[in-house]
C-alpha cells in the first residue's frame, strides 16, 4: 500500500485529484447540457417531424441517460469496495468514460454509435461518481485532518466552476463548430482529467478493498426476513416475497411484449429502462417494508448497532423517496426548460444583455452553478442566522421540505411564462432567470442539506449504503419524467389535456409543480414524526 508520511501540511497529491475533478466536471456538463439541443436538430431523430414529438423523444433519451448516470454508482462503489480499490476503479472507469466521449464525437450521425457513447459515459461517469470524493478523503489522516474541510470546500467549488464554464461555452461550440467539435472538446477534457489523475499514482494513499462484512445492511435485512420465531407470523417475509414476485412479473411482461407476445396489459411505451426502474423501486419499497416489520429478529445474530443502523437507513429511505419528485423538476432544466427557452427571444437589442457571450437558451443553465456559489454563503451567513434571531429553528428536515416546495414555485413561474409564449407574445429569454433562481434556491435547501442530514442519521458502517441510495433519488426523479412523457402519448390523456385549454408544455409544467407541492406536504407530515439521531463521530 502506498503511504505518504504523516505531515501537518496539505497532502501533495491533492492537486491531482482537484485537477481531475475540474476537467471531468467540465467534460460531463459540457456534453450533458447540449444533448437535448443536439438531438432535437440531429438526423438521429430524423424519422420524427420537427415539433413536440421530436422534443419528447429528445427528453426521453436525456432522462434515460440521467437514470444510467445515477444508477451505475452502485456498480462502481461495489467493485471498488470489494475488489479493486478506489484508484484502480476510478482509472478504469475513466477510460470507459473517454471512450464514450469519442463515440459521441465520431458518430454524430450514427444512432448505434452515438447511443453506445451515451451508455459508456453513463457507465464511466456513474462508476467514478461515488469514489472521487471519498478517495480524496482517504488522503488525510489525524495529522492533517484540519486541511480536509478546506479541500472539500474547494472540491465543491470546482464542481460548480466547471459546470458554469461548460454551460456557457459548450452551446457556443455546438452553434459555431458543430457536434463533432462540441462533443469532442469535452472528450479531450476527460482525457486530460484521466491523465492528471494517473500522474499522481505514486503519491496517493490507497486504502485496500474491504472484506465482506457479515453485518452489512443486506446481511442484516436477509437475516430479519429469514428468521422464524415461534408464535410470530411472517408478514414481513410475505411482503418482501410479494415485492420480488411483482418485480419479476414486471420484467417478464416487458420481455413478452418485446418479443411480440400479445400482452395487452403491459404498456407499449414502458421500455426496458422504465420497467427495470419500476421493478427496482418495488424491490426497495416492499423489501424495506417487510424488513422493518421483522428487524428485531436479527438481534443476536447481528450486533445491536448493526440492526439499529439498518432501521435508521430504512427511515432515511422514506425521506429520500419523498425527495425524488424534486429531482424530476431539477433535471428538466436541461431538457424541458431548454425547449421552452428555444421558443423565447434572446434580447440582443437590450444594452444590459451580454450578447457577446449568451446567444443560446441552453446557456441559461450556467445560472445554476453561479447561483449555487452565491446562495450557499448567503444562506449560511445571512438567511439562517436571521431566521434563528427571529426564533425559527432551521432544521435540516425543514430546509429540505421548503426546498421541495420552492422548486414547485419555480415551475409555476415557468408555466406562467409558457402561457405567455402560447398566447403569441415575444417573451424575452431573460425572464427564465426567475425560475432558475427559485429552482437553484430549492436545490441548495434540498441537495446540500440532504447529505448532511443522512450523514448525521446513519451509523458509520451504513454511510456507504446511504450514499448509494442517495444517488438513486436522481434515478427515480428521471423515472417520473419518463412515465409522464409516456402518459402524454396516450390518446385519452392528450384529450384530457386538450379539455383544460392548456398546451401540453404548460399543462406538464403545472403538473410537476403540483407534484412537488404534494411531495412537500407529505415530507412535512413525515418530518413531524421522524426520530432524529446524532451519529457524528466522537472526537
Amino acid at each position: 500500500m502506498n503511504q505518504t508520511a504523516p505531515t501537518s501540511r496539505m497532502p501533495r497529491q491533492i492537486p491531482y485529484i482537484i485537477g481531475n475533478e475540474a476537467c471531468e466536471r467540465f467534460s460531463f456538463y459540457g456534453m450533458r447540457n447540449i444533448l437535448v439541443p443536439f438531438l432535437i436538430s440531429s438526423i438521429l431523430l430524423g424519422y420524427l417531424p420537427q415539433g413536440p414529438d421530436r422534443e419528447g423523444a429528445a427528453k426521453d433519451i436525456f432522462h434515460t441517460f440521467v437514470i444510467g448516470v445515477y444508477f451505475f454508482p452502485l456498480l462502481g462503489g461495489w467493485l471498488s469496495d470489494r475488489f479493486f480499490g478506489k484508484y484502480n476503479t476510478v482509472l478504469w472507469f475513466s477510460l470507459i468514460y473517454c471512450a464514450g466521449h469519442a463515440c459521441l464525437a465520431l458518430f454524430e450521425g450514427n444512432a448505434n454509435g452515438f447511443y453506445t457513447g451515451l451508455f459508456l459515459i453513463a457507465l464511466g461517469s456513474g462508476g467514478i461518481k461515488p469514489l472521487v470524493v471519498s478517495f480524496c478523503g482517504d488522503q488525510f489522516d489525524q495529522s492533517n485532518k484540519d486541511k480536509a474541510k478546506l479541500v472539500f470546500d474547494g472540491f465543491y467549488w470546482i464542481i460548480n466552476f466547471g459546470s458554469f464554464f461548460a454551460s456557457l461555452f459548450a452551446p457556443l461550440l455546438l452553434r459555431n463548430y458543430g457536434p463533432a467539435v462540441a462533443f469532442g472538446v469535452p472528450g479531450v477534457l476527460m482525457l486530460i482529467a484521466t491523465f492528471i489523475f494517473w500522474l499522481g499514482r505514486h503519491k496517493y494513499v490507497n486504502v485496500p478493498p474491504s472484506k465482506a462484512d457479515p453485518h452489512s445492511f443486506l446481511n442484516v435485512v436477509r437475516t430479519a426476513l429469514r428468521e422464524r420465531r415461534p408464535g410470530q407470523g411472517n408478514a414481513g417475509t410475505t411482503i418482501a416475497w410479494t415485492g420480488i414476485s411483482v418485480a419479476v412479473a414486471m420484467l417478464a411482461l416487458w420481455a413478452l411484449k418485446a418479443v411480440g407476445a400479445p400482452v395487452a396489459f403491459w404498456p407499449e411505451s414502458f421500455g426496458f429502462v422504465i420497467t427495470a426502474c419500476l421493478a427496482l423501486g418495488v424491490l426497495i419499497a416492499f423489501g424495506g417494508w417487510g424488513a422493518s416489520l421483522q428487524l428485531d429478529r436479527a438481534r443476536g445474530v447481528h450486533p445491536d448497532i448493526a440492526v439499529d443502523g439498518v432501521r435508521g437507513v430504512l427511515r432515511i429511505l422514506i425521506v429520500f423517496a419523498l425527495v425524488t419528485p424534486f429531482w424530476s423538476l431539477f433535471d428538466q432544466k436541461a431538457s424541458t426548460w431548454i425547449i421552452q427557452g428555444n421558443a423565447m427571444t434572446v434580447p440582443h437589442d437590450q444594452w444590459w444583455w451580454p450578447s457577446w457571450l449568451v446567444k443560446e437558451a441552453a446557456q441559461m443553465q450556467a445560472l445554476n452553478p453561479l447561483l449555487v456559489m452565491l446562495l450557499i454563503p448567503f444562506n449560511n451567513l445571512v438567511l439562517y442566522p436571521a431566521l434563528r434571531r427571529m426564533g425559527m429553528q432551521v432544521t435540516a428536515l425543514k430546509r429540505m421540505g421548503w426546498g421541495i416546495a420552492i422548486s414547485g414555485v419555480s415551475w409555476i413561474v415557468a408555466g406562467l411564462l409558457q402561457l405567455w409564449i402560447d398566447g403569441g407574445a415575444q417573451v424575452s429569454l431573460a425572464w427564465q432567470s426567475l425560475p432558475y433562481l427559485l429552482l437553484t434556491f430549492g436545490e441548495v435547501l434540498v441537495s446540500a442539506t440532504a447529505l448532511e442530514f443522512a450523514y448525521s442519521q446513519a451509523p458509520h458502517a451504513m454511510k456507504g449504503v446511504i450514499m448509494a441510495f442517495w444517488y438513486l433519488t436522481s434515478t427515480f426523479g428521471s423515472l417520473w419524467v419518463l412515465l409522464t412523457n409516456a402518459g402524454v402519448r396516450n390518446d385519452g390523456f392528450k384529450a384530457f389535456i386538450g379539455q383544460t385549454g392548456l398546451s401540453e408544455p404548460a399543462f406538464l409544467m403545472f403538473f410537476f409543480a403540483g407534484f412537488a407541492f404534494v411531495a412537500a406536504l407529505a415530507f412535512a407530515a413525515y418530518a413531524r414524526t421522524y426520530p432524529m439521531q446524532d451519529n457524528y463521530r466522537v472526537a
Side-chain angles (χ1 to χ4, degrees), residues 453-477:
F453 163 78
Y455 188 90
S456 69
Q457 300 304 294
H460 178 74
M462 301 290 173
K463 295 190 190 301
V465 174
I466 283 298
M467 284 302 302
F469 282 121
W470 172 247
Y471 286 122
L472 284 179
T473 62
S474 291
T475 289
F476 285 104

Side-chain angles (χ1 to χ4, degrees), residues 243-259 263 266 270-280 282-283:
I244 293 171
S245 301
V246 172
V248 171
M250 286 179 172
L251 294 170
L253 289 172
W254 168 81
L256 290 171
K257 197 79 170 180
V259 299
V263 187
W266 193 250
F270 283 19
F272 173 74
V273 171
I274 290 179
T275 306
C277 288
L278 287 173
L280 177 62
V282 167
L283 284 175

Side-chain angles (χ1 to χ4, degrees), residues 38 100 109 146 200 236 284 362 469 477:
F38 164 74
D146 59 305
I284 294 173
F469 282 121

